[in-house]
Amino acid sequence: MTIPDIADRRVTALAALAVGLTIASLVVAKAVRDALFLTSFEVERLPDLMMVAALVSLLSATAASFLFARRPPKSLLPLLFGVSALIHGGELALYRIAPKVAAITLFLHVAALGATTLAGVWAVVNESFDPHRAKRAVARITLGGPAGGIVGGLLGLGMAQFHGVDAGLGALILLALASLGVTVVMARRAPAVHKEREIDTGSSWRDGYVWSIGGLVGAVAALSAVIDYWVSARASAAFDGDAGLMSFFALLHMTIGVLAFVIQVAFARMSLERLGIAGTTALLPGVALLLTALPLLTPVVWAVAVLRGATGTIEASLYRAGHELFYTPLPTARLRRVKMFVAVGCDRVGTALGAGVVSGLVLWFPGDRGLATVLAAIAGGCMLLCLQLHQGYIRALADSLRRGVVKLTPGDVFDAATRRTLAETQKLDRAALLAAIEQRYTSLESEDPEPPRSSRNVAFDNSLVGLPASPDLLGDFARGDDPLVEAIVTLRSGSVEAVRALLEEPIERAMAPLVIAHLARQSTARSAVRALRRDVDRFIGLLVDVLLDPKQDVVIRRRIPRVLEHSADPRAIAGLLDALVVENAAVRMQAALALLELTKRFPEAKVEEAPVLRAVRNDLDRLSRGEGREEVQRCVEFCMVVLSLILDREPLQLAYRALRGEDQRLVGTALEYFETVLPEDIRERSAPLLLSLSETPQPRRSQHELKQELLQSRSA
């Protein structure tokens, strides 16, 4: 779905407003906090208070995680903002009588509830959208962050010029009350939580994917802590008084907000589509690594301000847009248990570790070089975690599909026609339909003439010539006692029973062309397949030649893959890969299904990626010649089968089944899975096809049409 429906747009707008208000409040709070603290205490005390604040925040995150696991986030958010407004009122009163106490209280308050309220807003977003719709929605919702940064920066700058900390605390009370009102409305608009089928995936805290997210959050927090100290140290040396410091920090945050807004509007969606979620998230440590050496070149405050501004801009825009999407595949129950602890607790732990490292540097390695070295090491670790999260995200999407209504039986394979046809018979009398098919098989066999008693006086069936052969010559040979000639005469006869009996015995190489010809007859095809399979490696060359020959009977060509799938010979694999690009669609599909079965039967067999992707691109190119519903469906089915040769098979099958279901959240998860695992050019060309299948209801077909399709399927 490229355009959210009305309900989605409302939730998106409210969430963007809630994020904006929360960020504006945080910007003003940090500007007031930093100015108040730096005018009340020495800058060397900052790392100590940062560690205490991190501990308080960790306790707050643990409590919030406990509450969110039992109550929906949308019902708890208004309460958090209400409590925050009351605390800000107390801080305003304290500032007038005990500024130092007010400074510490505000510092701890921001640590305890600032990140928690923001994480709560995003928790509501995570529960409101499936992964595919979330990618579009989050790109819009994240705009609220930079916008809030701009508003917060302007408020902080204005308060610093006219009324200072006193007015800043008053503004924080109003912002908290406004956030309370917006989250109340958002809670009413947010959709009901999607019900998921529970699967045994172990404890939430043993989930490596969750720990990877937490590790990234902590590492980014440590990165920010080091940069924040660097900025504070140089700012305290460059400015005097709370007004100058508050103006500097407000201006810095406002600049970050403006730049983040521009980058979010211009590049967020493009970055998510081009670089993916992990690549977009990795931009933050990449920028930090690139600019780490800048403050070493000059001691002026603007050098470290550029570093802070660049990382803050990416963090508020692209990093946030990518990072929040890592949570969307998690089941609701697990998300509620871990969201607060990961988003807030790990953030605080990272901040504490960063502050501890800074304290050690101040004591043992003072100066800019130590800070730059630590910063580069943390940024490198963040980039490695982002690479690890890419694979974790794909696995999480697959788990999300497994939790849905989509189920696969142990023997389930990608048999496109059979699966679709049987799925459509759910409201029909399936027993009657299958009985009709069996009757059809019986009638096909009854059409064969009665078997002659002797091959000495044989009436040749000229439809079973196979490779070039002369009926007259065979007739002359038949007057002799050569067993091979007797066998060939029998194969050329119209005797179903005699042919079946003969095919139960080992066949000679000279008989192979006539045995292959019997693949065209419904009554003897199964016997011919079994006979050829018994010694398939002897006949691979001939089988591949017939398979790829466009002049051969298409029925024979589409049944040959059932024989070749029983050989791991590289010639069989190469022949089936070549058949993936032949003109006939049925032959292409059967070759793909045979390769799928071959790789299951022989796990050591390797299928190269290049010919597989070539087949997918070839089929997408063919589709441009006919855009009918059936053609689109056939193309998607073929591409799914072929891609399962090189991608994880079960998640791909689950995603395809989910795509054709009615559960819109699972449809979104499936679309996101395809966007994540497909190569870029194939993703761009196939996206409209996948969307069309997920949005258009399947046409009902008659029993006759279903019966004919089953007769042409792999099972037939």
Side-chain angles (χ1 to χ4, degrees):
M1 301 169 213
T2 56
I3 302 177
D5 57 25
I6 294 176
D8 282 354
R9 287 200 295 268
R10 288 174 177 172
V11 174
T12 299
L14 288 168
L17 182 57
V19 168
L21 288 171
T22 307
I23 293 294
S25 179
L26 283 172
V27 169
V28 175
K30 288 180 179 180
V32 174
R33 177 200 68 183
D34 293 342
L36 185 56
F37 179 84
L38 292 175
T39 54
S40 302
F41 300 95
E42 298 293 331
V43 70
E44 288 77 14
R45 303 291 299 275
L46 180 59
D48 298 332
L49 187 56
M50 287 172 67
M51 288 188 287
V52 174
L55 177 61
V56 171
S57 184
L58 184 60
L59 294 175
S60 171
T62 303
S65 180
F66 178 83
L67 293 174
F68 276 44
R70 286 153 180 79
R71 295 286 303 276
K74 62 184 181 181
S75 66
L76 292 173
L77 264 181
L79 177 63
L80 291 178
F81 283 115
V83 170
S84 187
L86 290 175
I87 296 175
H88 280 312
E91 290 160 355
L92 180 59
L94 276 174
Y95 172 68
R96 293 168 178 169
I97 57 175
K100 289 189 175 183
V101 176
I104 295 174
T105 303
L106 179 59
F107 209 106
L108 298 180
H109 173 196
V110 173
L113 291 182
T116 301
T117 51
L118 183 60
V121 174
W122 282 109
V124 176
V125 173
N126 296 147
E127 292 188 8
S128 299
F129 299 96
D130 62 68
H132 183 70
R133 287 157 59 225
K135 185 177 285 185
R136 278 72 182 167
V138 166
R140 299 182 180 93
I141 294 170
T142 311
L143 286 173
I150 296 171
V151 172
L154 289 172
L155 284 174
L157 192 59
M159 299 301 143
Q161 295 298 321
F162 297 102
H163 302 286
V165 172
D166 202 332
L169 290 171
L172 289 175
I173 297 173
L174 296 178
L175 287 170
L177 292 175
S179 300
L180 187 154
V182 171
T183 52
V184 167
V185 178
M186 185 171 68
R188 295 174 181 172
R189 299 286 189 182
V193 175
H194 173 68
K195 300 296 183 183
E196 297 171 309
R197 179 169 60 94
E198 290 295 329
I199 58 174
D200 184 13
T201 56
S203 168
S204 301
W205 306 110
R206 293 198 300 269
D207 189 335
Y209 178 63
V210 171
W211 280 109
S212 295
I213 298 175
L216 178 63
V217 170
V220 169
L223 189 84
S224 297
V226 174
I227 297 175
D228 284 342
Y229 172 80
W230 212 345
V231 172
S232 297
R234 289 201 178 180
S236 62
F239 301 100
D240 294 324
D242 62 347
L245 286 168
M246 190 172 173
S247 297
F248 168 75
F249 286 113
L251 186 60
L252 176 62
H253 291 305
M254 185 182 67
T255 303
I256 289 174
V258 172
L259 294 176
F261 186 86
V262 172
I263 289 178
Q264 184 69 12
V265 171
F267 302 111
R269 184 164 182 174
M270 181 180 68
S271 178
L272 288 171
E273 292 176 353
R274 300 279 183 177
L275 301 180
I277 297 173
T280 300
T281 307
L283 289 173
L284 172 59
V287 168
L289 197 59
L290 186 65
L291 297 178
T292 296
L294 183 61
L296 298 178
L297 301 177
T298 175
V300 297
V301 69
W302 67 261
V304 74
V306 169
L307 172 63
R308 184 67 186 96
T311 55
T313 297
I314 300 299
E315 183 176 3
S317 55
L318 301 181
Y319 170 80
R320 177 63 67 179
H323 165 260
E324 287 298 333
L325 291 170
F326 283 130
Y327 297 100
T328 52
L330 295 176
T332 303
R334 180 178 299 174
L335 178 63
R336 290 179 178 177
R337 286 195 296 270
V338 305
K339 172 71 176 182
M340 281 297 159
F341 189 83
V342 171
V344 181
C346 292
D347 179 86
R348 295 299 94 191
V349 169
T351 300
L353 290 175
V357 169
V358 169
S359 295
L361 291 175
V362 169
L363 289 175
W364 304 104
F365 302 102
D368 293 334
R369 291 193 177 187
L371 292 170
T373 302
V374 169
L375 195 60
I378 296 173
C382 288
M383 297 187 74
L384 292 176
L385 283 170
C386 289
L387 294 176
Q388 183 178 346
L389 278 168
H390 174 69
Q391 295 300 324
Y393 181 70
I394 295 175
R395 290 193 298 270
L397 286 171
D399 287 340
S400 182
L401 290 168
R402 294 187 187 99
R403 289 190 301 273
V405 296
V406 182
K407 300 179 183 179
L408 295 177
T409 61
D412 201 1
V413 296
F414 254 128
D415 184 353
T418 302
R419 286 190 296 107
R420 187 176 74 249
T421 305
L422 291 179
E424 294 185 34
T425 64
Q426 290 179 354
K427 295 185 179 179
L428 301 176
D429 187 345
R430 186 175 298 186
L433 179 60
L434 296 177
I437 294 170
E438 184 62 30
Q439 184 179 4
R440 172 62 175 159
Y441 282 140
T442 305
S443 66
L444 286 171
E445 293 185 10
S446 67
E447 294 171 3
D448 295 318
E450 288 295 322
R453 296 298 178 184
S454 172
S455 61
R456 298 289 184 182
N457 183 19
V458 65
F460 288 103
D461 185 347
N462 289 324
S463 67
L464 294 173
V465 176
L467 295 184
S470 168
D472 294 335
L473 180 61
L474 287 176
D476 292 337
F477 283 153
R479 288 190 287 273
D481 295 323
D482 190 333
L484 176 60
V485 175
E486 289 279 351
I488 293 176
V489 170
T490 300
L491 289 171
R492 286 292 310 280
S493 74
S495 171
V496 175
E497 292 183 2
V499 170
R500 285 178 174 174
L502 177 64
L503 293 178
E504 292 300 320
E505 303 296 330
I507 60 176
E508 298 292 335
R509 186 177 182 83
M511 299 161 55
L514 288 172
V515 176
I516 292 174
H518 271 280
L519 293 174
R521 304 185 69 181
Q522 187 68 43
S523 57
T524 56
R526 291 179 183 272
S527 297
V529 167
R530 288 196 297 268
L532 292 166
R533 281 175 175 174
R534 281 197 300 268
D535 206 2
V536 60
D537 289 341
R538 293 177 58 202
F539 312 125
I540 286 178
L542 181 59
L543 289 166
V544 170
D545 287 343
V546 177
L547 173 65
L548 301 178
D549 186 355
K551 296 180 180 179
Q552 294 291 331
D553 188 335
V554 70
V555 177
I556 295 176
R557 295 175 66 201
R558 68 180 176 84
R559 285 176 174 164
I560 283 177
R562 299 301 306 275
V563 179
L564 293 176
E565 69 187 25
H566 281 253
S567 173
D569 192 302
R571 295 173 298 162
I573 297 174
L576 290 170
L577 286 171
D578 288 340
L580 296 178
V581 294
V582 299
E583 189 69 26
N584 187 273
V587 175
R588 295 200 302 272
M589 177 61 82
Q590 292 304 318
L593 293 169
L595 281 168
L596 204 62
E597 183 64 25
L598 188 152
T599 53
K600 288 176 60 179
R601 184 173 280 112
F602 305 103
E604 70 279 3
K606 302 300 180 184
V607 176
E608 294 183 3
E609 183 175 304
V612 168
L613 296 179
R614 176 169 62 97
V616 173
R617 295 183 179 104
N618 175 75
D619 217 62
L620 291 171
D621 289 339
R622 292 176 185 274
L623 188 64
S624 62
R625 306 171 195 170
E627 296 289 348
R629 168 76 188 183
E630 289 300 319
E631 280 296 304
V632 170
Q633 187 166 273
R634 182 210 55 76
C635 177
V636 173
E637 289 173 343
F638 174 78
C639 292
M640 292 299 104
V641 176
V642 174
L643 286 169
S644 65
L645 296 170
I646 58 175
L647 300 176
D648 288 343
R649 193 161 300 174
E650 184 196 14
L652 201 68
Q653 293 185 35
L654 288 167
Y656 178 65
R657 284 198 170 191
L659 191 67
R660 300 172 59 80
E662 297 180 356
D663 189 323
Q664 291 304 305
R665 188 175 183 89
L666 280 176
V667 168
T669 302
L671 290 171
E672 177 61 16
Y673 182 81
F674 288 131
E675 284 197 3
T676 304
V677 301
L678 296 180
E680 182 178 348
D681 64 320
I682 293 176
R683 179 177 69 240
E684 292 178 352
R685 296 165 66 185
S686 63
L689 308 183
L690 298 174
L691 285 171
S692 69
L693 287 184
S694 66
E695 293 175 349
T696 307
Q698 296 291 317
R700 294 302 302 276
R701 292 178 289 171
S702 66
Q703 284 202 18
H704 174 73
E705 292 173 315
L706 297 172
K707 181 175 67 176
Q708 292 302 314
E709 187 168 13
L710 278 173
L711 283 171
Q712 296 179 11
S713 71
R714 180 177 173 81
S715 298

